[in-house]
Amino acid sequence: VSTQSTGEEEEPKEEEAEEVKEGEEDDIPKPDYKPPPVIPKEENGTGCNKKTYFVCNEPGSEWVKLPPVTPAQLVCARQIKKFFTGDLNAPVVSYPPFPGTEINYLRAQIARVSAGTHISPIDYYKFEEDDEDDSEGEGRDSFVENVEFEPLRNTELIDPALSNWVHHVQHILPQGRCVWVNPTVKTETEDFEDEEAEEAEMEEDDDDDD
């Protein structure tokens, strides 16, 4: 009886030891998280970067050119509230973290103010003839003064419904751009770079096999 009980107790120990060895050989788990694709900024002269801005701390001091704004900076600037210090190189401590310093935060807020406050009486501006065809569905940002515009009466301009006022600057989309872009569609350059990376990985694998 004692021999049988001893054998039954030893068997689980052997199995347990084998499981430990197998666990030690397993690879360390790797995270499968992939960061969202980076939204490209709009080119200079278009969208949120249509205009270039210069700033200075006091009259007579040297002007500083603000850099182009990125979609990530605009998206974050909508979620935070920070006082400006006057130091363009000062860090912006916030949550969510702002991708840049105060010079970038200032540029992002200027873009938001510009997009939200440029208004005019309806029909005061009109689109240029070249922009009449909006076949691609993109917003039009080129307009000229309508020489045939007939001024509205004051009673129409102060109407609480504000139906006689319009924004003549493109709205900033939740994506942080004036013109939406599909981040999942790769350009020809990106496709070429991906193909080169895959070929390099295949060559490394072949070298390892040899």
Side-chain angles (χ1 to χ4, degrees):
V1 178
S2 61
T3 305
Q4 291 179 354
S5 61
T6 304
E8 290 176 357
E9 291 177 357
E10 290 177 354
E11 288 179 359
K13 291 181 179 178
E14 292 177 359
E15 293 178 358
E16 192 174 322
E18 290 178 0
E19 290 179 0
V20 172
K21 290 180 180 179
E22 291 178 358
E24 291 176 352
E25 295 176 357
D26 292 341
D27 294 334
I28 299 175
K30 298 179 180 179
D32 56 358
Y33 169 77
K34 293 183 179 180
V38 178
I39 307 300
K41 70 178 181 68
E42 293 176 298
E43 298 296 330
N44 292 341
T46 62
C48 299
N49 291 316
K50 184 177 181 179
K51 295 184 179 180
T52 302
Y53 296 92
F54 295 83
V55 297
C56 64
N57 283 331
E58 57 185 18
S61 60
E62 184 179 357
W63 290 97
V64 178
K65 180 181 177 181
L66 299 183
V69 66
T70 65
Q73 293 167 354
L74 283 167
V75 171
C76 186
R78 282 172 161 163
Q79 304 175 49
I80 63 176
K81 294 181 179 179
K82 298 289 294 183
F83 286 109
F84 291 101
T85 65
D87 180 6
L88 296 177
N89 297 319
V92 180
V93 182
S94 65
Y95 184 82
F98 182 78
T101 58
E102 187 163 305
I103 190 173
N104 305 108
Y105 182 60
L106 175 60
R107 180 62 182 85
Q109 297 297 13
I110 289 176
R112 295 184 59 210
V113 172
S114 177
T117 59
H118 279 72
I119 61 174
S120 59
I122 191 170
D123 294 332
Y124 183 81
Y125 292 107
K126 68 176 183 178
F127 293 113
E128 294 182 346
E129 295 180 358
D130 295 341
D131 293 340
E132 288 297 329
D133 184 14
D134 192 18
S135 56
E136 297 182 359
E138 298 181 353
R140 295 170 292 184
D141 61 352
S142 298
F143 50 86
V144 294
E145 186 175 345
N146 184 9
V147 294
E148 299 178 356
F149 171 74
E150 296 182 3
L152 302 175
R153 297 191 300 271
N154 288 338
T155 53
E156 295 176 318
L157 294 175
I158 63 175
D159 182 10
L162 301 177
S163 57
N164 293 314
W165 292 89
V166 295
H167 288 271
H168 58 261
V169 174
Q170 286 180 298
H171 175 68
I172 300 177
L173 303 175
Q175 190 184 47
R177 290 171 52 102
C178 292
V179 179
W180 188 81
V181 64
N182 187 354
T184 60
V185 177
K186 296 183 179 180
T187 62
E188 295 181 358
T189 304
E190 291 174 336
D191 289 337
F192 181 73
E193 291 176 353
D194 291 343
E195 290 177 359
E196 286 187 338
E198 291 177 0
E199 291 177 357
E201 290 178 359
M202 292 176 65
E203 290 177 358
E204 289 179 0
D205 294 338
D206 293 339
D207 294 339
D208 293 339
D209 295 338
D210 294 340

